[in-house]
Amino acid sequence: MCSRRLSALSETLSPTKIVGRFAPSPTGPMHFGSLLAAVASFLDARAAGGYWRLRIDDLDTPRVVPDCDRLLMATLKHFGLHWDAPVMYQSSRRDAHRQAVADLLTTGQGFVCGCTRAESQGGPMGLEGPMYPGTCRDRGLHDVAGRSVRAKVPHDLFGVSDRVLGEYTQNLGRDVGDFVVRRRDRIASYQLATVVDDAAQGITDVVRGADLLTSAPRQAWLRQALGLPAVSSAHIPLIKTSTGGKLGKSTGATALSTREPGRQIWRCLELLGQQPPNRLRHSSPKPVLEWAIDHWNLATVPRRSVVLPEA
Ligand code: GLU
């Protein structure tokens, strides 16, 4: 009797399965920094016996490179990073994004904005530059063509207990201001699409590059505003070039070489503060990833940017 009660209790309390994700924008081939993010999120999910999902963040249509999604998928497979199907394309989620924007407007947590780009930068300086001055906040404008929708953010602290970087909060009203949730061209903003689609994919754990940490408080607020489940977050170090710049597509980082994929995964593990054994240095991805799943330790992931060593 007693043991049955105990097992029923532990069933209720057993944590739900972890669901991680990798969400590349198909705007260019993978580079070493995106491989690092993919490897970290893959290991974090698999080490916990969880799912790892793939999402193609293809909303910013002018920047989308044709066929890049297929190239990204082929690259992930080549590196042994197999995801749990199906893949989600953000471009197929426009109705859900539209509904979320409508919900923000209905609940008074968003407003229609008719400001031009220049007009919208007339406020005080925030963390990411001049903030929105609040011009349309209480004007009750109609949602006609050419207008954007902004979040009506509170002067309140929002943030995350990041599993790598610790507590990170912003006072949204003071540090960021009323940010765009739907652009003038009616495409959902990165912030809005991310929280809506993370929820639809059942994501519980977001592991991504530290350049996105400053977005985490906006996303935490949006999740609360839309009644979506909270997620746990871990922001992993960025890779600096030997000259100190950030390695990324915008800095012209070269595409990932497809040579010696196992060796490159091994190098990712080193950069992530894991200690892969030398005997695996020249293996194929599978045994290196198997070792890494067994030994994954987020506590030893460095908090600062790391420099990519010579190949
Ligand atoms: N699609 C975004 C990027 O490639 C990442 C989104 C996210 O991880 O929240 O930078």
Side-chain angles (χ1 to χ4, degrees):
M1 178 68 184
C2 183
S3 65
R4 261 176 57 200
R5 279 217 339 257
L6 268 179
S7 71
L9 187 67
S10 63
E11 248 163 53
T12 339
L13 294 181
S14 74
T16 47
K17 215 162 170 154
I18 296 272
V19 186
R21 48 81 153 169
F22 180 52
S25 306
T27 53
M30 271 176 77
H31 53 82
F32 203 80
S34 43
L35 179 67
L36 195 75
V39 167
S41 61
F42 174 88
L43 291 177
D44 199 59
R46 294 289 190 233
Y51 295 112
W52 188 61
R53 302 208 198 282
L54 179 62
R55 187 175 72 230
I56 303 291
D57 283 0
D58 59 346
L59 277 186
D60 196 357
T61 33
R63 293 178 60 230
V64 167
V65 174
D67 258 0
C68 189
D69 56 333
R70 283 201 289 168
L71 185 65
L72 288 167
M73 288 189 238
T75 307
L76 290 172
K77 285 185 192 159
H78 181 70
F79 282 85
L81 300 168
H82 299 283
W83 60 92
D84 298 298
V87 180
M88 176 183 278
Y89 282 78
Q90 285 199 313
S91 54
S92 71
R93 302 267 312 143
R94 293 191 207 278
D95 287 347
H97 302 155
R98 209 173 292 135
Q99 185 57 54
V101 171
D103 287 351
L104 288 176
L105 289 173
T106 315
T107 55
Q109 298 177 100
F111 62 92
V112 175
C113 174
C115 293
T116 61
R117 182 184 288 266
E119 285 165 348
S120 65
Q121 294 181 343
M125 195 53 106
L127 286 177
E128 293 180 348
M131 295 190 299
Y132 182 70
T135 323
C136 300
R137 208 170 206 252
D138 300 308
R139 283 175 75 193
L141 292 179
H142 289 296
D143 191 9
V144 298
R147 291 184 174 160
S148 61
V149 176
R150 290 179 176 270
K152 201 177 220 179
V153 299
H155 275 259
D156 216 342
L157 290 178
F158 282 85
V160 287
S161 283
D162 194 77
R163 289 164 61 218
V164 175
L165 297 174
E167 293 299 318
Y168 178 77
T169 53
Q170 291 169 353
N171 179 320
L172 284 183
R174 191 196 60 206
D175 300 333
V176 181
D178 293 334
F179 61 92
V180 173
V181 290
R182 195 207 67 209
R183 303 179 344 187
R184 248 170 303 173
D185 57 9
R186 302 190 98 75
I187 295 179
S189 72
Y190 156 69
Q191 309 291 354
L192 183 103
T194 299
V195 302
V196 171
D197 295 343
D198 275 346
Q201 279 190 299
I203 305 301
T204 61
D205 286 62
V206 170
V207 179
R208 61 187 175 188
D211 52 336
L212 292 170
L213 180 68
T214 54
S215 287
R218 268 168 281 186
Q219 295 175 3
W221 177 81
L222 271 174
R223 289 189 163 100
Q224 184 182 299
L226 292 166
L228 301 173
V231 297
S232 132
S233 85
H235 287 82
I236 60 147
L238 298 182
I239 300 180
K240 281 194 300 200
T241 58
S242 45
T243 52
K246 182 200 152 193
L247 190 79
K249 282 174 226 164
S250 52
T251 53
T254 46
L256 202 56
S257 157
T258 51
R259 287 178 46 216
E260 298 190 280
R263 171 115 189 264
Q264 297 196 66
I265 300 279
W266 196 96
R267 289 172 74 212
C268 283
L269 297 180
E270 261 202 318
L271 291 173
L272 289 167
Q274 313 299 298
Q275 291 176 327
N278 262 325
R279 67 181 161 79
L280 292 176
R281 199 188 267 261
H282 298 283
S283 306
S284 62
K286 195 162 182 272
V288 187
L289 287 169
E290 279 168 1
W291 178 90
I293 290 169
D294 286 345
H295 295 85
W296 176 241
N297 183 7
L298 198 74
T300 56
V301 171
R303 292 162 156 242
R304 289 165 194 262
S305 308
V306 288
V307 176
L308 185 64
E310 292 303 311

